[in-house]
Amino acid sequence: MTTTTTFALIRHGQTDWNAQMRIQGSTDIPLNAVGRGQATDAEAALSPYAWDFVVSSPLSRAAETADIIAADLSLTVTERMPQLAERDYGPAEGLGAGPELDALRTPDGGYGGFRGAESETSVAARGLNALRELARTWPGARIVVVAHGTLIRLCLIEALGRDIPSIDNAALTLVRLTPAPSGEPEAADDWTLDVLNGALVPA
């Protein structure tokens, strides 16, 4: 019998670079006043559920969002997980739309494909590994995970095999992980998406 672990995946609140439509990635940009308000507002979506603890990316915008949420829910932030940091966009970080950013685009990369950026495959792998590690360590727990929009989106695309839109600042995305039974190497983890950007997902 395997045990299901529940995750609230929360993107950090807004930063000045978010508001300016600049690529942040691994650059450590703090929350702005709007972002702190969004983190406080996240309590309304989270409070109907029971949660055990909070973990976050170590980047300050996610860490502060996690601290605000944890305080509002009377929870503890138990860990800053480096695997949950945002995708490293390399030389594209700090840039907004325009010729300088266009010059970094890769021919087959589509949206978000830039020279010198961490691959989407790498981002999804480390993010999912972090969630699986939490599920192994705390089977059956209900964990608030505060991270980043691109990381959350890429993890969900890989786990669910479906298109996922952009993740909103401080919105609730609720996903459940039932790990594959041990001793069954061909079995796959079972991921179930219940809420996306604050909206219930039809079964």
Side-chain angles (χ1 to χ4, degrees), residues 87-153:
R87 181 186 186 188
D88 185 342
Y89 281 93
E93 294 189 6
L95 300 180
E100 191 176 359
L101 186 61
D102 290 341
L104 293 171
R105 294 189 185 277
T106 56
D108 57 351
Y111 175 79
F114 301 107
R115 291 198 307 275
E118 180 183 7
S119 72
E120 293 186 346
T121 301
S122 170
V123 178
R126 62 178 171 80
L128 289 175
N129 284 341
L131 298 181
R132 291 187 181 105
E133 177 184 330
L134 289 168
R136 285 192 301 269
T137 305
W138 305 99
R142 301 179 65 86
I143 307 169
V144 179
V145 178
V146 183
H148 305 270
T150 297
L151 178 128
I152 293 171
R153 185 177 64 84

Side-chain angles (χ1 to χ4, degrees), residues 2-202:
T2 56
T3 303
T4 299
T5 301
T6 302
F7 298 105
L9 304 179
I10 306 289
R11 181 188 175 192
H12 59 82
Q14 188 192 83
T15 71
D16 286 346
W17 279 21
N18 286 152
Q20 297 162 7
M21 303 294 289
R22 297 167 68 183
I23 294 175
Q24 286 182 127
S26 62
T27 305
D28 198 359
I29 305 301
L31 295 181
N32 60 20
V34 170
R36 293 185 184 96
Q38 291 171 332
T40 297
D41 292 343
E43 179 191 7
L46 288 162
S47 59
Y49 306 90
W51 301 105
D52 295 310
F53 57 89
V54 182
V55 300
S56 81
S57 155
L59 295 176
S60 63
R61 58 190 184 270
E64 185 176 1
T65 301
D67 290 345
I68 292 169
I69 288 172
D72 289 343
L73 296 175
S74 298
L75 299 172
T76 299
V77 180
T78 61
E79 189 174 0
R80 312 290 190 194
M81 301 185 74
Q83 307 98 302
L84 295 174
E86 183 59 299
R87 181 186 186 188
D88 185 342
Y89 281 93
E93 294 189 6
L95 300 180
E100 191 176 359
L101 186 61
D102 290 341
L104 293 171
R105 294 189 185 277
T106 56
D108 57 351
Y111 175 79
F114 301 107
R115 291 198 307 275
E118 180 183 7
S119 72
E120 293 186 346
T121 301
S122 170
V123 178
R126 62 178 171 80
L128 289 175
N129 284 341
L131 298 181
R132 291 187 181 105
E133 177 184 330
L134 289 168
R136 285 192 301 269
T137 305
W138 305 99
R142 301 179 65 86
I143 307 169
V144 179
V145 178
V146 183
H148 305 270
T150 297
L151 178 128
I152 293 171
R153 185 177 64 84
L154 293 176
C155 285
L156 293 175
I157 289 171
E158 177 65 23
L160 302 167
R162 54 167 282 187
D163 289 337
I164 298 293
S166 296
I167 303 299
D168 297 334
N169 288 109
L172 173 63
T173 293
L174 191 67
V175 65
R176 291 176 285 130
L177 166 60
T178 304
S182 58
E184 297 185 25
E186 300 303 317
D189 293 337
D190 181 27
W191 296 87
T192 303
L193 182 65
D194 295 322
V195 178
L196 177 62
N197 279 334
L200 290 172
V201 176

